[in-house]
Amino acid sequence: MFTWLKNLGKNGKISIQSLRPIVARINALEGEMAALSDESIKEKTVELKQRFKDGVSLEDILPEAFALVREAAKRTLGQRHFDVQLMGGVVLHRRGISEMKTGEGKTLVATLPAYLNALSGRGVHVVTVNDYLSRRDAVWMGQIYSALGLSVGVISHDESFLYDPNHRDLDSTRDTLGSFKVVHEFLRPASRAESYAADITYGTNSEFGFDYLRDNLEYEAVKLRQREHAYAIIDEVDSILIDEARTPLIISAPSGDSGELYHTFAKIARELKKESDYTVDEKFRSIKLTDQGITLAEKILGIENIYSDGGVKYVHHLETAIRAKALFVKDKEYVVKDGEVIIVDEFTGRLQPGRRWSEGIHQAVEAKEGVPVQKESRTFASITYQNYFRLYEKLSGMTGTAMTSAEEFYKVYGLEVVALPTNKANRRIDRNDLIFQTEVGKFRALSRKIKEVNQNGQPVLIGTVSIEKNELLSAFLREEGIAHEMLNAKNHEREGEIIAEAGKKGRVTVATNMAGRGVDIKLGGALATEALREEVKSLGGLFVVGTERHEARRIDNQLRGRSGRQGDLGETQFYVSLEDSLMRVFASDTIKKMMGRFGIPEDEPIENGLITKSLESAQTRIEGFHFDARKHVLEFDNVLNHQRTVVYARRRKMLVGSEEDVRAEIARIVDGDEMLLRAVEERVVALGSEKTFYHGARALVLQAVDMFWVDHLEAMDYLRSSVNLRAYGQREPLVEYKKEGLLLFKQMEISVDGEIARLLPHVGAGAFMGGAVDDAKLKEVHDSAQSILSQGERALSNSGGERVGRNDPCPCGSGKKYKNCGLKNTEEHQKFSAVSKS
């Protein structure tokens, strides 16, 4: 069926050897492409599109398409794709993951399969990890696509654009990334639908996912954003498909207010003591109340029995409050900023404003920190990244670290991981870990080492696992008199600038995990002369230090990969202590006994290859544990995903289908009921036309589906929580969830049909929703959905309906330009921000 299957090896993996003949064919076309005029290059794109329409496969067009992209890159950016980059492009086209080391030019690689697959006319999505990179890459690579005659769109949190080489926003604030300046120059404001209609669309994983959910809340086809899900290229694919795999995208609206209960139980949690009143399992991130703790809680609450007097609600609040106290640490899992608790991504170290923990955890943390407790919410739509990205007919990805998760990529997504050779030989020295007795001893020894290296002028990048450790190490460095730059989620606005300059002579940069991905670190600094670069190379290149081993080897490898790019010299080493989280919870007793037996001072290390291997073995075990956990979550989510697919397909048919589709749906519901059929016929006569009736009926079906779907999501959430307890009764939770979930879903479908049948005779009786019906419950769900959707739309339009320009006065009346305000000062905007917290 697929031509590229011929190139798979016996073990199912794409071999490097099979890629070399294709590269040779591309290279053979270089002279032919170089002879084309700029106009002829665009004409060649038109020709290739037509050949695809005539039945020629993309695989057969690949050599010409790749050679054409390479020529366009040479003319616009002065960059020529290396052979290994061509290989990476082929892997991406063939539904694979290209593992390419830092500095090997993944951004440029993506242009090859993006262009080739865009020739089909079905659209290509290029997924990045943040809005800045979406805009940067769209403008940077947009020069190539524009030269080839393709259009480029960008979607970011509140804005969407089209790349336009003739557009200038000279008053916009620009970030500097090396010699490349970009934020809004060449990006012309456009509607969401226009950005998605482009040949190639750049955006973040969350925005693609949320737009999918928003489209399935719409009531008018003209407001839909996305096209089909044909092909996606995911940058930093391991971060998105593995680290964030269990993260559900949730669109919700506020419901009840139980803020007082959260405050009450936060006070109780402060009274309870670890070990005597509750125990903590750090490995499984769980807590367990002791009998003494339950008795104390009952005494504070003034009740006899928390299980009978307070019911499940009180027990849930108590356990949640203790989890918030024991497992969620300020400046590690979250920060408090402007009276809000904001999650910190444990893998990237970046803030995640707008995202909230579920099951009351976020409210419990807010109560613990004494900030306003936001209302609990009711879910209107949700999906995990695992299931969103499995919507695409073809998926591919790029990263510097994928091999350690190759099994998961294949089993969950059907993606092959191919480790590509570097363009130049790797000259980086990766030293064995240094092991210390205590964290204080580790930081003291590290500070001395940094001082020594810094005095020689060698640039240093130090990676920390949290904001808390970031700031602690900074204090040790200040004690030694070492000038340094700090990068963490609290000053992420300067991320690009700090990382771009981390390779300067004498520079010391202390950063959280966010330093492990994204912007390249160039020796000598972003704008260094060749002489400066050579001077830093002579000092040994970039010295990268890890201050703790992470639970995932990929994160450590990402940090290591910042040094030794494109054949540069470099050096890496990890400093770990027995008090580090990984060592404390997972390391073997052998290591701990060994350290104690040697009687080594706390700031003196052991450097031992066996210990390093033991640590990596612990990491492998943890990765397996997390893989199993993600697989377990996916098995449960697959149940809901099947139901979601059925509901959204029915909804989409009613939204964009023909009148005949609506007729068929109504006929199915009426199902020969002579009394209902008569009522419908009478209603059609009363309205004066079938068209009017079926217009209202279309809206009615959408409303009914939404109303019962929201209730069903809530029921499934409760079911998910309750089935785990059935394991105590020797019943398999997943089997129970599937069985009862199916019953709930069938009941929901019956209820939807019953509600439609009940209201069909009243279609057109009111002005609500295009003449559907005026029913209070339907209207409530519809209005909530519209308020959620309006949050995104209000950023696009002012009161007159025209788009607000970035430099126009903000419609909120603040007197600021829109780009500097964005309605942030109005109560109305804050209300709509709260509505779709996720």
Side-chain angles (χ1 to χ4, degrees), residues 13 21 86-87 183 202 249 353 356 384 418 484 527 535 603 617 626 785:
K13 292 188 176 179
L86 297 177
M87 289 180 183
V183 168
Y202 283 82
L249 294 169
R356 293 178 66 79
T384 60
V418 181
H484 59 280
L527 302 175
E535 184 182 2
D603 60 350
S617 173
H626 287 314

Side-chain angles (χ1 to χ4, degrees), residues 406-421:
E407 180 189 2
E408 184 166 356
F409 279 124
Y410 186 74
K411 285 185 175 178
V412 177
Y413 304 100
L415 297 173
E416 300 284 356
V417 176
V418 181
L420 292 159

